[in-house]
Amino acid sequence: MSHSTIKHTQIILPLTAGMHQMAEQFYRYHSSPEKIRQVYLNTLAVLVVDSYLEAIGIETNMEASESWQVSTQALSDVAELPILNRGSLECRPVVPSEQQCYVPMESWGGRIGFVAVQMDQNLEEATILGFLPSVDAETVPLDQWQPIEELLHHLHPRPIQLMRWLEKKIGKQVEMGWQAIEDLRFPSQPTWQFRTRGQSVDVARPVISRGKPLTLASYPPVLLILGLAKTQEDKESDIDIWVKVCVSETMDSLPAGLELQVLDPAGMAVMNAQARETASMEVNFSGTIGETFGIQLVLGEQRWLETFVL
């Protein structure tokens, strides 16, 4: 994998033909032009957020949504998207000419957060503008919405502070099950190789590394290892990061199709590797102190995700 730096990604998604068909299916139950427009845009907003969450591995349950019930559509202005085992988001549409997002008071109850979704003039694509954990007014200026990364922080545990690893402010047993490599019962310690500034460098032991056994489906555990080192160049704010997935001593190769992904702060995959009858796979990249990134393993319908901050 090439050496790269994680960058913030703006979330722009297409409004597909399938999304428009669903919105049309609902609006045909209504006769008022105002209600038709409301239901159409609300449906698109929910589908856009659902598409984004699906892409980053967060399960939803749209069939349980209040806004999928025609009777509720007729009586209320709601755009609910239930998140499996977490609660419901309210997905509010914003048209290009508006400088604020309308969040009706009737949609405030029972929500774990609110997402603003701006449609383009031709309803061909939508931009996820931001997130708020709560609102206290029916109109919220667009510049008051938080970055969409805050939604991921809201849905997932706080990210692990990796600079604590480098500063050695922790013992061998670290947070969330991460352990010193020598304390893990796996066949051998890996020899690390990563690419930095265009040159290949062999590293017998990184500055700091931690491992975590993970069980996926019915397979024996695999070992996920994350290593950190300050760059060789004189840039104290840059950190080289490498992530490796290894087999356990009871396996000859990783599960076929197992994918290792690096996610940017918005939860989108920016790097990936896939197991192909190999005993390990690895990705290498760099980050700057203060940046957030995620590591995700995907195997069929199963996903494991953890978030880190440098």
Side-chain angles (χ1 to χ4, degrees):
M1 304 294 291
S2 61
H3 194 75
S4 63
T5 300
I6 299 173
K7 297 181 180 179
H8 175 75
T9 303
Q10 189 177 28
I11 307 302
I12 302 175
L13 297 174
L15 294 171
T16 65
M19 293 178 180
H20 283 287
Q21 288 170 5
M22 179 66 75
E24 291 172 4
Q25 177 182 329
F26 282 135
Y27 88 65
R28 289 172 180 168
Y29 289 96
H30 309 284
S31 56
S32 162
E34 181 179 349
K35 177 59 67 173
I36 288 173
R37 179 177 183 274
Q38 179 190 101
V39 169
Y40 201 100
L41 293 179
N42 284 354
T43 302
L44 290 180
V46 170
L47 291 171
V48 166
V49 178
D50 177 73
S51 178
Y52 168 63
L53 294 180
E54 180 182 3
I56 61 175
I58 296 176
E59 292 188 71
T60 63
N61 185 16
M62 280 200 303
E63 291 74 15
S65 171
E66 293 179 359
S67 53
W68 253 230
Q69 301 172 15
V70 175
S71 58
T72 303
Q73 293 173 358
L75 299 173
S76 307
D77 181 3
V78 293
E80 181 198 22
L81 177 59
I83 310 299
L84 199 64
N85 300 323
R86 289 183 173 93
S88 292
L89 293 172
E90 181 70 17
C91 310
R92 300 307 309 177
V94 181
V95 298
S97 59
E98 293 178 338
Q99 298 302 311
Q100 55 192 12
C101 179
Y102 175 59
V103 187
M105 189 177 296
E106 63 188 301
S107 71
W108 293 6
R111 301 294 190 263
I112 60 171
F114 301 80
V115 181
V117 181
Q118 188 167 56
M119 317 291 174
D120 73 346
Q121 192 69 46
N122 298 319
L123 294 183
E124 294 177 347
E125 64 180 22
T127 302
I128 300 180
L129 295 177
F131 165 77
L132 286 174
S134 62
V135 296
D136 57 10
E138 289 195 321
T139 54
V140 183
L142 299 185
D143 60 5
Q144 292 184 12
W145 290 78
Q146 300 172 8
I148 194 59
E149 301 95 274
E150 294 302 319
L151 169 60
L152 306 185
H153 298 161
H154 193 65
L155 294 176
H156 294 292
R158 296 182 66 83
I160 291 177
Q161 305 286 326
L162 289 178
M163 290 309 296
R164 294 179 60 205
W165 293 16
L166 278 175
E167 295 165 0
K168 299 182 179 179
K169 292 182 179 179
I170 52 177
K172 288 185 177 181
Q173 193 76 24
V174 298
E175 63 262 64
M176 301 295 290
W178 291 89
Q179 303 174 49
I181 299 299
E182 57 267 25
D183 293 339
L184 291 163
R185 297 179 180 178
F186 275 72
S188 62
Q189 296 179 23
T191 297
W192 297 90
Q193 185 178 56
F194 66 100
R195 186 169 300 276
T196 177
R197 304 298 187 265
Q199 295 182 340
S200 181
V201 180
D202 289 323
V203 182
R205 290 291 298 273
V207 172
I208 193 72
S209 62
R210 294 288 183 258
K212 187 173 189 177
L214 297 173
T215 300
L216 298 168
S218 57
Y219 294 93
V222 299
L223 177 61
L224 176 68
I225 303 177
L226 189 149
L228 307 169
K230 292 186 177 180
T231 58
Q232 292 184 327
E233 294 187 2
D234 186 21
K235 291 185 178 181
E236 293 188 359
S237 63
D238 285 353
I239 305 295
D240 284 323
I241 306 161
W242 52 103
V243 184
K244 191 168 187 175
V245 182
C246 308
V247 297
S248 68
E249 53 191 10
T250 60
M251 303 170 68
D252 295 325
S253 61
L254 293 170
L258 176 63
E259 187 172 3
L260 168 63
Q261 299 176 344
V262 179
L263 309 183
D264 70 6
M268 304 301 288
V270 292
M271 300 185 72
N272 67 80
Q274 192 169 51
R276 302 183 187 280
E277 297 183 353
T278 56
S280 66
M281 58 181 171
E282 182 178 347
V283 294
N284 315 296
F285 54 100
S286 68
T288 301
I289 292 175
E291 283 188 314
T292 300
F293 67 94
I295 299 298
Q296 181 166 257
L297 292 180
V298 182
L299 181 60
E301 297 298 317
Q302 289 196 85
R303 293 174 185 262
W304 174 91
L305 171 65
E306 197 153 301
T307 306
F308 305 85
V309 62
L310 288 170

